[in-house]
Amino acid sequence: MSEDENIRHTEKMKRIKAARDKMIAGMTEEKGLILVHTGPGKGKSSSGFGMIMRCIAHGMPCAVVQFIKGTWVTGEAKMLRERFADECRFFVSGEGFTWETQDRERDIAAAQRGWEIAKEQILDPENRFVLLDEINIALRYDYLDIDEVVSFLLEHKPPMTHVCLTGRNAKPELIEAADLVTEMTAVKHPFRDGIKAQKGVEF
């Protein structure tokens, strides 16, 4: 890079920094967020559990309520239960993926149990962050009432409690209610090449 190019780059970065600093200075409000991670790509739950680890690092008590994939032994469940049980409560309400249980009534009952636990954890004043992992799947199949879930989050969630809801096919009502929505896009996946789920990557 020539000296002139470096000078132009420096001036450009100064302008960008000034604009960013001004924008950030105007952001003074704090609130507990409703976050939604959805889409067909990998990383929805992984991102949610990443935020759980951030909360633990910041000394923020948190909880996980895991829907649907209850029988699957995951690294995050093992780690949180064995090493961070005091910092993060971990609940499982599902009995496995819907194509494995093949029993709608049992799936509905499990989802309803999970939702009751979720409401308790969200209302608990000690918790600062609650992850509702794969709840979007339960909502997609109408195991839970979307209007009830959205109404509870908007009307009863404590003002400074963050709640993250993960899973494909988030319903429009939930997306509308959320403060932050991220859609994971599937570009390429090893499943297509016949490669099974890998420990440490998938679970």
Side-chain angles (χ1 to χ4, degrees):
M1 180 181 289
S2 69
E3 186 175 347
D4 287 346
E5 288 174 326
N6 192 46
I7 290 171
R8 286 196 298 272
H9 175 78
T10 300
E11 292 303 316
K12 179 180 179 181
M13 293 302 110
K14 284 181 180 178
R15 292 193 298 271
I16 291 173
K17 183 181 185 311
R20 296 283 299 175
D21 289 348
K22 182 178 179 180
M23 179 180 69
I24 292 170
M27 296 179 180
T28 57
E29 183 180 357
E30 290 188 42
K31 64 172 287 192
L33 302 176
I34 299 171
L35 309 99
V36 174
H37 296 170
T38 193
K42 177 177 162 43
K44 299 176 287 294
S45 295
S46 299
S47 179
F49 280 105
M51 286 190 284
I52 286 287
M53 295 310 298
R54 285 179 181 166
C55 288
I56 291 172
H58 286 299
M60 297 166 59
C62 50
V64 175
V65 182
Q66 197 162 50
F67 294 77
I68 307 299
K69 55 186 180 187
T71 59
W72 202 9
V73 179
T74 63
E76 55 265 25
K78 182 177 171 63
M79 180 187 67
L80 291 172
R81 284 175 164 162
E82 293 179 1
R83 302 185 187 183
F84 298 103
D86 292 336
E87 295 87 351
C88 181
R89 303 167 189 165
F90 200 105
F91 303 90
V92 174
S93 72
E95 297 183 12
F97 291 105
T98 53
W99 60 84
E100 292 173 340
T101 61
Q102 300 177 19
D103 188 328
R104 181 174 171 80
E105 288 187 7
R106 279 176 57 188
D107 289 339
I108 290 172
Q112 293 287 347
R113 287 194 301 272
W115 177 235
E116 291 304 313
I117 295 169
K119 289 189 287 186
E120 292 173 3
Q121 295 306 307
I122 292 168
L123 292 174
D124 189 327
E126 288 190 12
N127 284 329
R128 295 286 309 281
F129 185 100
V130 179
L131 174 61
L132 306 182
D133 187 39
E134 300 289 0
I135 191 174
N136 290 342
I137 306 300
L139 289 166
R140 172 189 179 188
Y141 289 117
D142 297 320
Y143 297 166
L144 300 173
D145 185 296
I146 184 62
D147 293 331
E148 178 190 347
V149 171
V150 168
S151 294
F152 178 84
L153 292 173
L154 293 177
E155 298 171 14
H156 300 290
K157 181 184 75 63
M160 294 307 297
T161 300
H162 305 295
V163 179
C164 180
L165 306 92
T166 75
R168 293 181 178 218
N169 302 111
K171 290 208 169 185
E173 298 94 327
L174 182 60
I175 290 173
E176 178 64 26
D179 298 290
L180 187 156
V181 179
T182 299
E183 183 172 23
M184 308 294 185
T185 301
V187 177
K188 194 174 184 181
H189 201 294
F191 279 5
R192 297 173 184 170
D193 296 324
I195 300 171
K196 69 179 184 178
Q198 300 295 299
K199 186 182 294 185
V201 176
E202 300 286 345
F203 61 95

